């Protein structure tokens, strides 16, 4: 009714506005009292004239004609008053609505819909049943059978073109739609103001081929692209299986701050029957006849209480098998093991036996490269005297069939222990060739005066140029401070200039509690259990030590693994480092600032002590043992990639005399069997002489080899497989989508609620109030009243035969 009156007052587009208030004011040169007086005088004259009319004219006609004349005079006099109606109208501003459609590979999944509610949702989207009736409706059996294996993307296409829902048409009439699709990147499909009128133009462009879903990145980019524009909201159409990029919750916070509510439509079913092997982890290198632990992460969806067989294969040989019972949809960590009997370089694969009605069977396995070698680690242990740490470490190394250990005690060894081919050497090697045949040197609490400067230089060369490992175990007699000023001091990851002087802290009766750092927790060599949580718990329960050397701090680039938890002993770089590691040239150096590791044998025996030292020794010595200390060293962040991944490759290059290469660029090549060779360019890494870096993307799966032009005989193998990220999460993530919608101030929808979407967006649309002044005398309403008054009098006068 208000809109009708506003149209009569001459307001354009008032049908889209709501009347919030009205007031009338007089803005003419004549006052209201003068106008009323004039109207009374004129009205009296009109009455007097009509009273004098012929008595034959009926009295009611004379009264009506007089009233029309007085009304006309009143309308004319009102012009002098200039009446203005001030209307306060409330209307919605036409704004934009962003539509983001998930186009990743998971949207191609054909959900197996066994639940009646899921079948009804599919029927609503396809237009077989009316949406208003919700889930409490039946459908023909033939329709249900046809909807059991409809893909998620086809469901989206059908719903957007559904004439019963009319979503695009209804939204396009209220908002300017901007349509995007996204996987790892965001792409704009349509900028039409009303894409509902030509939906087929962009609906046909929708595909589902992306191998990653960066939902958070897509939301943030869409908001950034339209920042400053009036938006009614963002309609997100996805299954919520976001597996790449930034967190969607962070994007939802940004949307809330910018007053852009997110309306999420969850596509898919929440609990499809699916078995997933998400990850397999094992050491990349193992020894023949060593028990090899393997950790496999598995998950079952919609199969609670059911069992499946997990098989572990090395190449084509089965090496272990377990039967797993699934409890809910939570991920399980399965520990497996086997003992390789011969050297091999191949694939280690974990596979779950697929179910007959499983949604996807391509995600039932995961693989990792494994190299099994038959060799011994050559270890040289140098110490001043047989302290407790030396004795326990020696016993462990002599029992370890993987190790070929030799020992030097600088204070001298009894003659009966230095027999030919025995474990002891009489003194530090007098030739550097004899030193370089070892893979690892363990330097204990030694007096640097007992080792010449040339021998220290050999040790530096052994690490930096030949990739040997160095393990320094501090001691109370000389500690790390005695090494200050020696060539080997630059190898250590800690500053020894600020270390305790020899003989400091003579009393060691106070326990020190050690703390594993985040970097240490990620190190496989310090892992005490297959499960990260169990490993951390075991570290927390380790017995305390009673001495740790005080150092000045850590060097830039050093990795601190274990610290003294006592903040009163911290250095300028943080808590006191007790274990720290760094790369020096081609080799690795580990500093252990205590000789109390043997105390961890309490209540544990040799098992934990042997495990820790065994893993450390293997980590430090393998680069030299495997021949990775050549003049050309190639490495990647990992050995297994998915097609489309960005591969970062490093090359450490040395000349014939082991000087770092300084060329401005180096050419490299990679190739898979049956494929053409591809060239890449490696650039120097700043401030790291001899180290080069390249980045490239391999789009095709295969077994690849990489080499550099200056040394084609040294190759690096890596595997590129078809990506499976989109298959690891096959369920619609309703919890995530609901959280994103609610955080932003929006709402989560499923198919049965989609018809309410336009109203939900409109209810939160911003309303704008404005005041409009209307001159009544110039409005259509005023004109109609004048014509009505004058016309009625004229008609009556003609009927009464008056002039």
């Amino acid at each position: 009714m208000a809109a009708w009156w506003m149209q009569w007052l001459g307001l354009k587009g008032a049908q889209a506005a709501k009347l919030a208030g009205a007031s009338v004011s007089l803005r003419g040169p004549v006052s209201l009292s003068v106008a009323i007086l004039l109207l009374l005088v004129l009205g009296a004259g009109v009455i007097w004239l009509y009273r004098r009319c012929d008595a034959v004219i009926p009295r009611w006609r004379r009264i009506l004609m007089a009233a029309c004349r007085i009304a006309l005079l009143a309308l004319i006099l009102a012009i002098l008053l200039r009446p203005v109606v001030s209307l306060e109208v409330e209307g919605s501003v036409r704004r934009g609505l962003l539509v983001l459609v998930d186009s990743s590979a998971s949207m191609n999944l054909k959900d197996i819909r066994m639940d009646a509610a899921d079948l009804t949702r599919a029927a609503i989207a396809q237009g077989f049943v009316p949406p208003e009736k919700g889930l409490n409706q039946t459908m023909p059996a033939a329709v249900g059978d046809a909807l059991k294996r409809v893909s998620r993307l086809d469901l989206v296409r059908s719903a957007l073109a559904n004439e019963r829902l009319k979503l695009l048409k209804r939204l396009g009439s209220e908002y300017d739609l901007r349509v995007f699709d996204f996987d790892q990147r965001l792409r704009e499909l349509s900028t039409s103001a009303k894409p509902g009128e030509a939906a087929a133009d962009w609906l046909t462009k929708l595909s589902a081929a992306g191998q990653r879903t960066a939902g958070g990145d897509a939301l943030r980019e869409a908001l950034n692209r339209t920042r400053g524009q009036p938006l009614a909201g963002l309609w997100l159409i996805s299954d919520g299986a976001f597996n790449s990029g930034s967190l969607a919750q962070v994007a939802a916070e940004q949307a809330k701050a910018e007053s852009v509510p997110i309306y999420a439509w969850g596509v898919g079913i929440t609990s499809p029957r699916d078995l997933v092997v998400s990850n397999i982890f094992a050491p990349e290198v193992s020894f023949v006849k060593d028990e090899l632990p393997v950790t496999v992460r598995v998950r079952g969806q919609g199969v609670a209480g059911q069992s499946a067989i997990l098989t572990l294969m090395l190449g084509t040989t089965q090496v272990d098998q377990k039967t797993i019972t699934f409890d809910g949809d939570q991920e399980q960590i399965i520990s497996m093991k086997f003992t390789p009997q011969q050297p091999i370089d191949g694939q280690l694969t974990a596979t779950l036996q697929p179910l007959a009605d499983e949604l996807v069977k391509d995600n039932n396995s995961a693989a990792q490269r494994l190299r099994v070698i038959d060799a011994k680690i050559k270890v040289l242990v140098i110490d001043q005297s047989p302290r407790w740490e030396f004795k326990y470490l020696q016993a462990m190394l002599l029992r370890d069939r993987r190790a070929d250990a030799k020992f030097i005690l600088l204070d001298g060894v009894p003659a009966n222990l230095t027999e030919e081919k025995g474990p002891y050497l009489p003194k530090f090697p007098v030739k550097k060739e004899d030193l370089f045949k070892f893979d690892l040197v363990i330097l204990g609490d030694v007096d640097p005066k007992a080792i010449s400067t040339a021998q220290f230089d050999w040790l530096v060369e052994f690490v930096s140029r030949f990739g040997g490992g160095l393990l320094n175990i501090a001691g109370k007699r000389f500690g790390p401070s005695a090494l200050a000023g020696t060539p080997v001091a630059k190898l250590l990851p800690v500053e020894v200039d600020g270390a305790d002087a020899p003989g400091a802290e003579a009393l060691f009766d106070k326990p020190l509690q050690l703390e594993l750092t985040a970097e240490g927790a990620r190190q496989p060599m310090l892992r005490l259990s297959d499960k990260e949580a169990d490993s951390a718990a075991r570290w927390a329960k380790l017995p305390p030590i009673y001495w740790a050397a005080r150092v000045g701090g850590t060097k830039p680039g050093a990795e601190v693994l274990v610290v003294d938890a006592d903040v009163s002993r911290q250095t300028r770089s943080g808590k006191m480092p007790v274990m720290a590691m760094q790369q020096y040239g081609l080799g690795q150096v580990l500093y252990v600032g205590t000789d109390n590791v043997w105390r961890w044998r309490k209540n544990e025996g040799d098992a934990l002590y042997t495990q820790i030292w065994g893993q450390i020794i293997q980590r430090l010595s393998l680069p030299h043992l495997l021949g990775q200390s050549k003049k050309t060293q190639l490495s990647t962040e990992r050995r297994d990639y998915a097609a489309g991944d960005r591969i970062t490759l490093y090359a450490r290059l040395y000349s014939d005399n082991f000087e770092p290469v300084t060329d401005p660029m180096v050419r490299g090549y990679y190739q898979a069997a049956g494929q053409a060779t591809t060239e890449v360019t490696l650039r120097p890494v700043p401030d790291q002489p001899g180290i080069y870096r390249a980045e490239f993307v391999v789009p095709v799966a295969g077994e690849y080899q990489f080499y550099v032009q200056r040394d084609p005989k040294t190759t690096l193998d890596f595997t590129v497989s078809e990506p499976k990220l989109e298959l690891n999460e096959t369920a619609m993530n309703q919890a995530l989508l609901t959280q994103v919608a609610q955080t932003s101030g929006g709402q989560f929808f499923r198919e049965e609620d989609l018809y309410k979407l336009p109203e939900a967006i409109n209810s939160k649309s911003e309303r704008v109030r404005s005041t409009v002044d209307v001159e009544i005398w110039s409005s259509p309403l005023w004109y109609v009243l004048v014509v009505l008054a004058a016309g009625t009098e004229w008609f009556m006068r003609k009927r009464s035969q008056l002039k």
Side-chain angles (χ1 to χ4, degrees), residues 448-697:
K449 296 178 182 179
I451 301 176
S452 68
T453 301
Q455 291 171 327
F456 273 131
D457 288 335
W458 297 347
L459 194 55
V460 173
E461 188 177 359
F462 166 72
V463 174
S464 62
R465 294 191 178 184
F466 290 89
L470 175 64
L471 169 60
N472 176 225
I473 304 176
K476 306 179 189 69
R477 291 181 61 188
F478 301 99
S481 62
L483 296 174
T486 67
V488 80
K490 60 186 177 183
L491 298 179
L492 300 180
V494 294
E495 299 286 354
V496 295
D497 289 339
D500 287 333
E505 297 190 10
L507 298 177
F508 313 106
D509 57 350
K510 294 181 179 180
L512 302 177
Q513 194 64 47
L514 300 186
E515 182 179 294
L516 190 67
T517 66
E519 292 85 353
R522 290 193 293 266
Q523 278 287 349
M525 70 176 179
L526 297 184
R527 192 76 60 83
L528 301 183
S529 173
D530 294 339
K531 301 178 181 178
E532 294 181 12
D534 292 347
S535 178
R538 292 191 69 183
W539 267 97
K541 293 179 181 179
L542 286 176
I545 62 174
Y546 285 82
W547 178 80
R550 189 189 299 271
V551 296
T554 53
K555 294 179 181 177
E559 192 174 4
V560 180
L561 309 179
V562 179
V563 295
D564 183 349
D566 187 354
V567 295
S568 67
R569 290 168 52 84
Q570 68 180 3
T571 68
R572 60 179 178 271
S573 54
K575 291 182 179 179
M576 180 71 65
V578 178
M579 283 192 189
M581 185 171 68
Q582 75 171 358
Q583 184 84 24
Y584 192 92
L586 299 182
Q588 293 178 325
V589 181
L590 177 68
Y591 164 79
V592 178
T594 180
D595 59 0
N596 276 201
V597 177
W598 60 271
R599 293 182 181 274
W600 292 348
R601 299 174 73 257
K602 181 180 179 181
N603 300 325
E604 295 280 352
D606 288 334
L608 184 141
Y609 184 86
T610 300
Q611 179 183 357
I612 291 179
W613 280 122
Q615 291 172 171
I616 289 174
I617 289 170
Q618 182 172 327
R619 165 65 186 274
L620 295 175
S621 58
L622 276 179
H624 189 274
L625 176 66
L626 298 177
Q628 296 175 359
S629 56
K630 300 176 182 178
K631 292 179 294 182
T632 300
Q633 300 223 0
L634 306 174
S635 63
T636 55
E637 296 169 326
R638 57 185 192 271
R639 299 290 293 277
D640 297 284
Y641 293 88
D645 281 353
R646 180 167 295 277
I647 298 174
T648 302
L649 186 142
Y650 291 91
R652 295 176 180 271
L653 305 177
Y654 291 82
S655 62
D656 292 337
N657 59 355
F658 283 93
E659 294 295 331
V661 172
T662 58
D663 295 346
M665 54 84 69
V666 172
R667 299 189 187 279
Y669 305 89
Y670 65 88
Q671 181 185 25
Q675 297 183 17
T677 301
T678 302
E679 179 181 310
V680 296
T681 300
L682 293 90
R683 302 289 183 184
V685 176
D687 302 323
Q688 298 188 47
I691 300 180
Y692 290 77
R693 178 176 179 270
E695 286 190 357
F696 52 94
V697 174

Side-chain angles (χ1 to χ4, degrees), residues 62-116:
R62 286 181 287 170
I63 293 174
L64 179 59
M65 287 187 290
C68 289
R69 177 66 64 88
I70 292 171
L72 179 62
L73 292 172
L75 291 171
I76 295 172
L77 286 173
I79 296 176
L80 300 175
L81 297 175
R82 194 185 166 197
V84 176
V85 178
S86 297
L87 300 175
E88 188 175 358
V89 295
E90 186 180 77
S92 59
V93 178
R94 186 173 179 87
R95 293 182 295 169
L97 178 67
L98 307 181
V99 183
L100 270 64
V101 185
D102 190 342
S103 60
S104 62
S106 65
M107 294 293 286
N108 260 337
L109 293 178
K110 296 183 178 181
D111 292 305
I112 303 175
R113 299 174 180 85
M114 305 301 294
D115 186 75

